[in-house]
Amino acid sequence: MKNLIILGLSSLLICLSCQNNKNLSNEVTVAGTIENHDQTVLKILDVMGRGSWEDVVPVTENRFSINLTLERPAIKTLMYGDMRKDIFLQPGKSLEVSFDALNIENSFRYGGDLKIENAVFDSISQRLGNIDYSYLYTQPLDLTSLYMDSLKNDSKEYLKSLLNKYITSPYFEEYANASIDYNVAYLKIMLGDSQEEQYAGYYDFLNELKIEDHDLLDMPDYRMFLYFYLEMETNKRYKDLDSIQNQTADAKFYETLKTIENLKDEEVRAYSLYNTMLMQLKEFGTVDFDRHFGYFNTHNLDERYAEQMRFAYEEKKRIAPGQPAPEFTLEDVDGNQVSLSEFKGKYVYVDFWLTTCSRSARELPYFLKLYSDYKEDNIVFVSISPDKDKNTWLDFVKEKRNVGTSLWSDKFLDSEVTKNYQVLGTPTYVLIDKEGNIIDPVAAKPSSKEIRETFDLLLKSK
């Protein structure tokens, strides 16, 4: 679920009065140039309280421009293929972006009114991203805590040195400092959760933070912090359940809802309820979700979230169990075009994966064993990779996973097949029946006992 968390961001405000907001123009322009544009879709991601998650930005002759209406400073996510950049925006200001599609990492540049803010933010983000996780997860918590505190202090000193050199928006300065605080805080919660026990005082850093702050809801690091904080509090409640209660279906989910009910800030509570319901829907689909939908409709007080939930629910229903599986025709390792309809009369287990995905790599040995155990049965194994580089995919398949039917899809996660199957991350597994209808749009992974039990049950029913 964690990889599905925080898909997009909208407005951001720290210490900005309503009077000041009224004096700002609501228009902000994001424009730029993409060298070697290859028809990859450029998008601005924004999921908070909206019926649609993304704005597609038209690119004409390598140029693009879009005007956004903002009531206050905001952070949005700019997406191009597998590239994601959080960009700081402010009403009445402009941002220019340029990059070479063949070498995005080394060619990305900012310009316009918000050139300095975004260059500084990008630099801080990269600094916070240079974390040695292999070290952190092998060390005791007292050492990892010191490591994270050092990272926080170093990042703040670095930010201070940059702000001493350049004039930036006061809103940005406060945002950048808070972003560092909550970034380190949610990582500390993650590290603490990875250990069975935490030393006395480990979570004292939470006393330095405002846990519930609706003004920060549109800050990505705060929203990540809020997610992991609620998960931590839910785990405490879950551990207090008896052996019968914790075996109840969706027991942990219901404890999460109770944790959310205890939040004092109405806007934070509304967002947390929405986000938790959305993740439940995306991970487990529409089966048995009607009762959760009823709870949401009773407790939600924000029409924006109601609209978003209705949109997500209707989208998910398109690939609900019993619905026709979306047709696809893709290229296999030999250059042949292969369609889903060719497998009618057989069960189809579809694996969406990427060569660069660590979770896909962890499941690979189990996928190969599952294929080996069921390859003589009436089950077809179809692997679909939307890898950006076709040759990388081809070499990987031939060397490590040339079993079943391996297919390649272009345009990364913007491809038609990944959109039709609502693939938000990899690996994602889908199970299709002999008539071409969906059995499970979020099927069990190869390493689980559940998928073997499902296969055996299907094969017995023939």
Side-chain angles (χ1 to χ4, degrees):
M1 182 182 292
K2 291 178 183 177
N3 56 316
L4 300 175
I5 310 164
I6 317 303
L7 296 176
L9 304 162
S10 54
S11 54
L12 163 69
L13 174 62
I14 299 177
C15 298
L16 179 61
S17 70
C18 295
Q19 182 62 42
N20 286 341
N21 278 340
K22 293 178 182 178
N23 295 328
L24 293 174
S25 167
N26 287 340
E27 287 292 311
V28 57
T29 299
V30 180
T33 303
I34 305 176
E35 294 183 34
N36 297 305
H37 175 51
D38 58 1
Q39 305 310 310
T40 296
V41 179
L42 179 67
K43 297 178 291 187
I44 291 182
L45 192 65
D46 181 4
V47 304
M48 191 168 176
R50 297 188 48 182
S52 178
W53 287 0
E54 58 195 33
D55 292 316
V56 174
V57 182
V59 180
T60 304
E61 296 182 353
N62 295 342
R63 285 286 302 172
F64 65 89
S65 180
I66 185 171
N67 292 323
L68 303 175
T69 301
L70 302 177
E71 295 181 359
R72 50 193 180 185
I75 184 165
K76 307 267 186 183
T77 302
L78 191 68
M79 299 179 61
Y80 187 83
D82 58 352
M83 180 276 289
R84 292 192 178 201
K85 286 277 188 181
D86 287 339
I87 52 176
F88 177 80
L89 303 177
Q90 186 174 316
K93 303 292 184 180
S94 66
L95 176 64
E96 285 276 340
V97 171
S98 66
F99 60 89
D100 185 339
L102 300 180
N103 187 17
I104 297 177
E105 183 177 352
N106 295 319
S107 65
F108 207 94
R109 298 291 183 271
Y110 297 104
D113 300 331
L114 297 171
K115 171 183 177 179
I116 300 300
E117 284 82 355
N118 280 281
V120 170
F121 178 61
D122 205 8
S123 182
I124 293 296
S125 297
Q126 290 182 35
R127 203 174 190 88
L128 288 171
N130 291 329
I131 296 177
D132 187 352
Y133 287 102
S134 61
Y135 167 80
L136 289 181
Y137 282 104
T138 59
Q139 300 301 313
L141 276 182
D142 56 344
L143 291 182
T144 61
S145 183
L146 288 174
Y147 179 101
M148 296 307 300
D149 288 339
S150 176
L151 175 66
K152 172 183 172 180
N153 294 334
D154 177 67
S155 297
K156 289 210 164 191
E157 284 298 317
Y158 180 62
L159 173 63
K160 184 178 179 180
S161 70
L162 293 176
L163 294 177
N164 285 336
K165 295 179 181 179
Y166 307 105
I167 298 176
T168 62
S169 160
Y171 316 122
F172 170 75
E173 182 175 347
E174 293 188 37
Y175 162 76
N177 275 291
S179 186
I180 293 171
D181 288 335
Y182 287 102
N183 179 282
V184 171
Y186 83 71
L187 288 172
K188 278 191 168 184
I189 294 177
M190 286 177 59
L191 291 166
D193 186 57
S194 69
Q195 304 288 330
E196 292 187 5
E197 296 183 1
Q198 300 81 35
Y199 64 83
Y202 175 74
Y203 290 108
D204 286 352
F205 65 89
L206 293 173
N207 298 328
E208 302 173 6
L209 300 170
K210 187 175 182 180
I211 304 299
E212 300 179 43
D213 192 340
H214 59 262
D215 284 338
L216 304 183
L217 273 174
D218 294 315
M219 177 188 294
D221 286 313
Y222 174 72
R223 289 170 68 169
M224 288 290 284
F225 163 79
L226 185 60
Y227 171 83
F228 286 109
Y229 173 79
L230 292 175
E231 184 178 56
M232 178 184 70
E233 293 299 306
T234 296
N235 287 337
K236 293 177 184 177
R237 298 180 62 97
Y238 185 73
K239 288 178 181 178
D240 289 337
L241 299 179
D242 60 37
S243 58
I244 296 178
Q245 291 174 320
N246 63 28
Q247 293 301 315
T248 305
D250 294 332
K252 198 166 185 178
F253 174 68
Y254 290 127
E255 292 306 312
T256 301
L257 297 181
K258 293 176 183 177
T259 301
I260 293 170
E261 288 175 5
N262 290 331
L263 295 174
K264 301 295 188 296
D265 188 304
E266 184 175 304
E267 292 184 45
V268 172
R269 187 170 63 249
Y271 164 73
S272 300
L273 173 62
Y274 156 74
N275 191 57
T276 297
M277 284 288 178
L278 189 63
M279 293 304 103
Q280 181 77 5
L281 174 63
K282 289 187 176 302
E283 184 163 7
F284 298 104
T286 58
V287 176
D288 295 329
F289 191 76
D290 285 345
R291 54 198 172 100
H292 301 326
F293 215 159
Y295 178 95
F296 174 79
N297 289 331
T298 299
H299 290 80
N300 173 60
L301 302 177
D302 194 319
E303 179 55 33
R304 298 174 305 159
Y305 296 141
E307 177 192 3
Q308 176 63 39
M309 190 59 66
R310 288 193 294 269
F311 171 79
Y313 186 67
E314 290 302 316
E315 281 290 292
K316 205 66 177 179
K317 281 170 60 176
R318 292 194 298 104
I319 57 169
Q323 292 296 313
E327 178 64 282
F328 57 77
T329 300
L330 300 170
E331 185 177 329
D332 69 8
V333 293
D334 297 317
N336 301 314
Q337 297 295 306
V338 179
S339 300
L340 173 64
S341 56
E342 296 178 26
F343 304 119
K344 194 168 184 179
K346 297 178 180 291
Y347 295 107
V348 182
Y349 185 58
V350 183
D351 170 18
F352 290 93
W353 68 288
L354 286 168
T355 61
T356 55
C357 175
S358 60
R359 293 179 296 275
S360 295
R362 286 196 294 270
E363 285 297 317
L364 178 56
Y366 301 100
F367 179 84
L368 296 176
K369 183 66 167 64
L370 191 66
Y371 169 80
S372 178
D373 292 345
Y374 289 91
K375 64 182 179 181
E376 301 301 329
D377 294 299
N378 197 32
I379 300 175
V380 176
F381 289 76
V382 177
S383 299
I384 299 176
S385 174
D387 259 87
K388 195 167 186 180
D389 186 88
K390 181 179 178 181
N391 290 327
T392 299
W393 161 78
L394 189 59
D395 292 341
F396 189 99
V397 169
K398 289 183 176 180
E399 180 181 352
K400 298 182 179 180
R401 58 177 297 158
N402 198 11
V403 299
T405 300
S406 291
L407 306 175
W408 177 74
S409 171
D410 63 355
K411 297 183 180 179
F412 195 61
L413 294 181
D414 289 317
S415 66
E416 183 177 0
V417 66
T418 54
K419 284 185 175 181
N420 287 343
Y421 283 89
Q422 300 180 29
V423 177
L424 298 177
T426 55
T428 292
Y429 303 95
V430 180
L431 188 57
I432 301 169
D433 69 17
K434 294 185 289 185
E435 300 303 315
N437 299 316
I438 290 178
I439 295 175
D440 192 345
V442 283
K445 57 188 178 183
S447 60
S448 68
K449 292 181 180 179
E450 181 185 349
I451 191 60
R452 291 176 176 272
E453 293 171 351
T454 300
F455 282 1
D456 292 341
L457 186 62
L458 291 173
L459 293 171
K460 286 180 182 178
S461 66
K462 65 181 181 180

